[in-house]
Amino acid sequence: MYIGRFIVVGPDVAAYRVSSRSFPNRKIIERDDVLTVVPTEDAESTDNPYVSYNCVRPGGDATVVGNGSHVDPVAEKLDMGYPARDALVTALFALDFEKDDYDTPRIAGVVGENEAVIGIVRRDALIVREVTEPTLVATYEHDAPIDYDFAVESAEEAARAVYDADFEHEVCAAGVVREGEASEWAIVNE
């Protein structure tokens, strides 16, 4: 099954996977404490604004994961002291779904020391909710938060688990684990 890009958010853990049929030649790189999706060296040149973006970024006391340019304003709102729910609602509402051929939803999550929140904005809805168990939301098929079996203990395990998940067209993945006030992250590019 193809569900597109997806995130899993739960207490103390988050992960993001790029799944793509249209732009598979991408990878995740780390630069200045931010994880960024970029084209690989052999990718065709494109001016598509949805191909390259920050997908994991610290903000306030938390870490943000997501599938596009909305990750930055969520992190900035957290830096300003917004609660995670409000930061997600504000950014997702302002940027809305992607204006591409598929009206691709924007998905994002925040994992902090004491809370985990997941959100999606689609053409027909904005859903943001606190989660107490690992929860998945995807750009297609699973475009509303659903419980997800996600037993991982490290950032590497989180990235590997979403990369290897039984969904089609995996490209790259990132995992984040919170331990108290600190976060660690890992990348899978294959």
Side-chain angles (χ1 to χ4, degrees):
M1 173 190 309
Y2 180 65
I3 65 170
R5 295 169 281 168
F6 67 91
I7 59 173
V8 176
V9 176
D12 301 321
V13 64
Y16 172 63
R17 183 174 109 176
V18 177
S19 304
S20 180
R21 295 181 285 211
S22 304
F23 296 99
N25 296 328
R26 291 187 276 176
K27 63 184 177 181
I28 298 173
I29 61 168
E30 182 174 359
R31 44 181 203 180
D32 301 326
D33 289 332
V34 175
L35 300 185
T36 304
V37 176
V38 299
T40 60
E41 294 76 21
D42 61 343
E44 290 185 29
S45 181
T46 181
D47 60 356
N48 185 316
Y50 305 118
V51 170
S52 185
Y53 51 87
N54 293 332
C55 65
V56 176
R57 180 176 164 179
D61 299 353
T63 303
V64 181
V65 298
N67 72 323
S69 61
H70 55 286
V71 167
D72 294 329
V74 173
E76 291 162 5
K77 295 294 183 193
L78 293 170
D79 285 340
M80 294 169 53
Y82 279 56
R85 179 188 162 278
D86 295 353
L88 280 170
V89 167
T90 302
L92 292 174
F93 180 76
L95 291 170
D96 209 5
F97 59 91
E98 294 179 359
K99 305 306 188 273
D100 61 5
D101 292 340
Y102 309 102
D103 295 338
T104 302
R106 291 181 190 267
I107 55 176
V110 175
V111 60
E113 185 176 0
N114 297 312
E115 67 181 336
V117 183
I118 198 165
I120 182 170
V121 61
R122 311 182 307 236
R123 174 180 270 293
D124 65 341
L126 170 62
I127 303 167
V128 176
R129 73 175 213 202
E130 187 170 355
V131 298
T132 57
E133 297 294 330
T135 303
L136 177 143
V137 69
T139 55
Y140 309 115
E141 298 299 323
H142 297 304
D143 64 354
I146 60 170
D147 292 343
Y148 188 71
D149 186 19
F150 199 64
V152 299
E153 295 185 18
S154 70
E156 178 64 36
E157 286 180 18
R160 176 56 57 193
V162 295
Y163 185 86
D164 291 339
D166 195 21
F167 301 116
E168 296 174 354
H169 301 288
E170 65 276 3
V171 173
C172 51
V176 177
V177 171
R178 297 268 318 174
E179 293 182 17
E181 295 180 12
S183 284
E184 69 172 55
W185 53 49
I187 298 168
V188 172
N189 288 315
E190 294 189 8

